[in-house]
Amino acid sequence: MIIEYSLFFMLKKILCFVLKILAQATLWRYQPTIVGVTGSVGKTSTKEAIYAVLKSRYSVRRNIKNYNNEIGVPLTILGQETGGRSLGRWLQIFLVGFFEIFYNKNYPEFLVLEMGADRLGDIAYLTSFVKCQVGVVTAIGEIPVHVEFFQTVDQVAKEKSCLLHSLSSDGWAVINYDDERVRLMTRRASAKVFSYGFDEKADLRASQIEQHFDDLKEAGLSFKVDYQGNNVPMRLKNIYAPHQVYSLLAAIATGLIYKMNLVEISQALMRLEMPIGRLRLMKGIKNTWLLDDTYNSSPSSALGALDLLEKMPGQRKIAVLGDMLELGSFTEEAHRKIGARAAQVADILLAVGERAIFLADEAKNSGLAEEKVFYFVSAQEAGRALQQTMREGDLILVKGSQGLRMEKVVKEVMAEPDQAKELLVRQEESWENR
């Protein structure tokens, strides 16, 4: 077992080294403008929003799937997908990557690269060969995600700040002004700073946020964008929660840096759809509505989803909440916090996974009747139980970390399961038996 692990680790190091060299050479050859995106929450939605804005004027590439680590980022730069466990496929990737260093007449002008960090040194490694002109930091929060290998929240913030500290003096640090830890990151950064948020001190500000739920088929959100004395109203369909506005503001800030005007940017965002599995509303069986937020989960995003569940109309509100993973020493505290909030919002709670036992217990402690709280080991069990529990007019939130596979709950009760491959996350064959 030790020998197998050592061999795997050695092969991974070789793979990362080759990908790094090919990515460096590609960047040197084509000199794209690079926008890096990091943070504890909201990275993918922010990346997608920035992509939507920039692609209305420029040729742009961004990470696909979860390609945000030491393998995924170089693959994105090379325009390739993973070779999985196939040696032949990896050799093909290397050969194509090598030849395209010398000839690729369609290489994009911009790269929008999401950068994740599971351990200390991850962001520093990526920025050692990916030199960004713009660095975007979304949020850290009081209980961030992916902290299993970090000791404190401040340690997470320090790691994420590596993106801003890697920027040159003519680069731009685009930061969430409303997150104090993010705001403080700019003290040691030499780049120009462009802040966004709801606070009046932010360079770019959203105000007068209103949610429109009279007709869920047309549901959405409107707000005003204020920048240097100018303001533009925006109304976006299929975007429902105030916390999602942060991703839009980061995208607007990036567009402004590259000389796009507010009207042009707002028109680009009108075409934006949030990635699947991230607060997507769809019809369920028995004439119900499902709020599918199954891509992943964190304390801040779970609270945001519960806030949305509270405000949207429904005869009954049902929360189906799975474990939040990679929280390390914050695990019990975070799940209990979500359980207490669920008790305020939900008429019925279905908790899924071994860590969700804390969530279910705290919901009962916070006043949700014991007969309204159900606990399940797996998503499949929860899906079958939900099918029996739900009735016409219900609004159902489904959320959990990807390891829980909460999309299986949605698939069990969605009105059009034949569209699962288009509407749900993790429907590829490689996920089927996990």
Side-chain angles (χ1 to χ4, degrees), residues 248-269:
L248 307 178
L249 289 175
I252 295 167
T254 305
L256 289 169
I257 287 170
Y258 289 103
K259 309 305 179 186
M260 298 175 69
N261 62 58
L262 283 175
V263 174
E264 182 183 6
I265 292 167
S266 67
Q267 289 173 344
L269 288 175

Side-chain angles (χ1 to χ4, degrees), residues 25 55 70 92 131 177 184 224 229 265 306 326 329 347-348 350 391 414 424:
K55 78 172 183 177
E70 71 273 25
Q92 182 184 14
K131 303 304 179 185
Y177 189 89
L184 292 174
K224 280 190 176 181
I265 292 167
L306 286 167
E326 299 178 12
S329 60
D347 298 297
I348 298 172
L350 281 67
R391 64 188 187 212
M414 65 191 295
L424 304 184

Side-chain angles (χ1 to χ4, degrees), residues 112-126:
V112 183
L113 301 178
E114 178 183 333
M115 296 181 173
D118 293 328
R119 294 173 173 79
L120 284 170
D122 284 354
I123 301 295
Y125 173 78
L126 292 173

Side-chain angles (χ1 to χ4, degrees), residues 314-378:
Q315 294 294 325
R316 296 185 306 172
K317 310 290 181 68
I318 301 176
V320 188
L321 302 175
D323 287 351
M324 298 178 290
L325 303 179
E326 299 178 12
L327 294 177
S329 60
F330 296 100
T331 296
E332 181 173 349
E333 174 192 349
H335 284 84
R336 287 193 178 279
K337 186 173 183 179
I338 301 307
R341 180 64 178 134
Q344 297 173 334
V345 172
D347 298 297
I348 298 172
L349 171 66
L350 281 67
V352 186
E354 60 181 270
R355 298 159 188 81
I357 197 74
F358 299 121
L359 192 155
D361 182 61
E362 195 61 35
K364 288 183 279 189
N365 291 343
S366 300
L368 191 57
E370 190 164 348
E371 65 271 17
K372 302 293 185 181
V373 179
F374 304 91
Y375 175 75
F376 304 93
V377 174
S378 70

